[in-house]
């Protein structure tokens, strides 16, 4: 966790590249991926510390599956980062501050996202409308028929 805090300090205080969010991913007692928030520097809202650390760890291991790994992150993950950890099959997570802390000290507010995700997709702030479903179902069936198609 100290390395994650060090990354957070570097990116937010020294480089001013984003918020104070750092993350390391550990497997078998060794750091295999690390990242820090670079949203501002990269002009990319997905460049959270966890996302950058996951990308790094996946590149190091040559896989999208991070089973057996533990995340150490300076802030309790936002919904996007939590979902990325879930999809990466992270086994365990530790965080040094809560979403409430991020709101109090940095005006980072994940609460509206959590609330939006609870309601029907047609009533969300950014709502979805289904189009071209038949064409896409055709593609899904084609994908399903491929022997040894990619599994997640």
């Amino acid at each position: 966790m100290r390395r994650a805090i060090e990354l957070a300090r570097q990116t937010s205080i020294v480089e001013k590249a984003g918020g104070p969010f750092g993350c390391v991913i550990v497997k078998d007692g060794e750091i295999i991926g690390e990242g820090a928030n670079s949203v501002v520097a990269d002009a990319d809202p997905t460049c959270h510390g966890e996302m950058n650390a996951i990308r790094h760890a996946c590149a190091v291991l040559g896989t999208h599956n991070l089973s057996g790994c533990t995340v150490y992150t300076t802030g309790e993950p936002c919904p996007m980062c939590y979902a990325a950890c879930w999809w990466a099959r992270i086994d365990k997570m530790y965080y040094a501050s809560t979403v409430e802390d991020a709101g109090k000290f940095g005006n980072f507010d994940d609460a509206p996202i959590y609330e939006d995700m609870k309601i029907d997709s047609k009533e969300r702030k950014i709502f979805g409308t289904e189009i071209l479903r038949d064409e896409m179902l055709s593609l899904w069936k084609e994908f399903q028929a491929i022997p040894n198609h990619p599994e997640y």
Side-chain angles (χ1 to χ4, degrees):
M1 185 63 80
R2 286 189 179 95
R3 175 63 180 152
I5 293 171
E6 180 182 316
L7 291 166
R9 179 178 306 286
Q10 180 67 30
T11 194
S12 65
I13 305 298
V14 177
E15 298 170 3
K16 296 179 177 43
F21 302 102
C23 180
V24 296
I25 299 177
V26 174
K27 185 169 187 168
D28 300 325
E30 181 182 333
I31 293 175
I32 53 128
E34 61 181 39
N37 185 295
S38 61
V39 168
V40 173
D42 292 335
D44 182 341
T46 69
C47 286
H48 290 196
E50 297 92 340
M51 301 297 283
N52 287 336
I54 288 169
R55 289 177 183 121
H56 182 213
C58 288
V60 166
L61 296 179
T63 181
H64 65 281
N65 188 326
L66 298 179
S67 295
C69 292
T70 300
V71 163
Y72 294 85
T73 184
T74 59
E76 184 178 1
C78 72
M80 174 183 68
C81 293
Y82 176 82
C85 289
W86 193 93
W87 280 112
R89 307 299 191 246
I90 299 289
D91 287 352
K92 193 162 185 156
M93 179 184 306
Y94 295 95
Y95 53 88
S97 62
T98 65
V99 292
E100 291 81 13
D101 295 330
K104 179 179 177 181
F105 296 107
N107 203 29
F108 294 94
D109 190 7
D110 295 342
I113 301 169
Y114 287 110
E115 291 305 313
D116 209 37
M117 293 302 297
K118 292 178 185 177
I119 61 177
D120 183 271
S121 64
K122 292 175 181 66
E123 297 175 22
R124 293 180 185 156
K125 181 178 178 186
I126 303 172
F127 62 91
T129 303
E130 182 181 295
I131 61 172
L132 300 177
R133 184 167 189 261
D134 290 338
E135 288 181 38
M136 189 59 213
L137 289 180
S138 176
L139 175 57
W140 271 119
K141 290 173 185 172
E142 187 178 346
F143 176 80
Q144 185 180 42
I146 297 171
N148 301 317
H149 62 79
E151 295 284 343
Y152 293 88

